[in-house]
Amino acid sequence: QEALAESGGGVVRPGGSLRLSCAVSEDIFGVALMGWYRQAPGQEREFVASIDNDDRTKYQGSVRGRFTISRDNPKATVYLQMNSLKPEDTAHYYCNANSVNYGSSWGRGTQVTVSS
């Protein structure tokens, strides 16, 4: 049993779409700020999007308007819908859960590759 488990990555052409999923342990999902981060080779890991328990969302500027983060509370799952994908979006995407009581937890990540 993993605390966080990402899925949904793959290879798509520019302009295509992918939907990433992150299944979260029930004991931490309800109290955690959920987020997506990504890291390209040779680059620092960067923030992509986050969502809190009141459905307030934040986005990194380069993905705003193209990506949508959401959560399904009964399923304890967070999603990242990615539309109009660009080659610059190619990276390993990580799910993160952050809370006062449980600290910060990371999934193993899932690869997203945007290429012709």
Side-chain angles (χ1 to χ4, degrees):
Q1 182 178 330
E2 297 175 291
L4 290 78
E6 302 97 331
S7 61
V11 181
V12 297
R13 291 188 171 90
S17 298
L18 282 175
R19 187 197 194 199
L20 306 184
S21 299
C22 177
V24 186
S25 177
E26 292 181 355
D27 57 351
I28 66 173
F29 182 80
V31 299
L33 172 70
M34 301 301 307
W36 288 95
Y37 292 73
R38 66 186 182 186
Q39 185 172 23
Q43 303 294 319
E44 296 292 323
R45 185 175 299 186
E46 68 173 355
F47 169 81
V48 176
S50 66
I51 184 168
D52 66 16
N53 288 324
D54 292 319
D55 285 342
R56 297 185 182 94
T57 58
K58 294 182 179 179
Y59 296 93
Q60 196 272 335
S62 67
V63 309
R64 186 179 299 276
R66 299 187 297 120
F67 292 10
T68 302
I69 188 171
S70 62
R71 61 194 297 157
D72 186 327
N73 293 336
K75 293 182 178 180
T77 301
V78 63
Y79 303 97
L80 184 68
Q81 178 66 46
M82 304 183 293
N83 299 325
S84 301
L85 283 162
K86 305 175 180 179
E88 306 94 274
D89 296 317
T90 296
H92 204 70
Y93 283 70
Y94 298 89
C95 183
N96 174 261
N98 193 37
S99 68
V100 173
N101 292 332
Y102 292 93
S104 183
S105 300
W106 295 91
R108 64 182 180 182
T110 184
Q111 180 67 33
V112 172
T113 301
V114 185
S115 174
S116 298

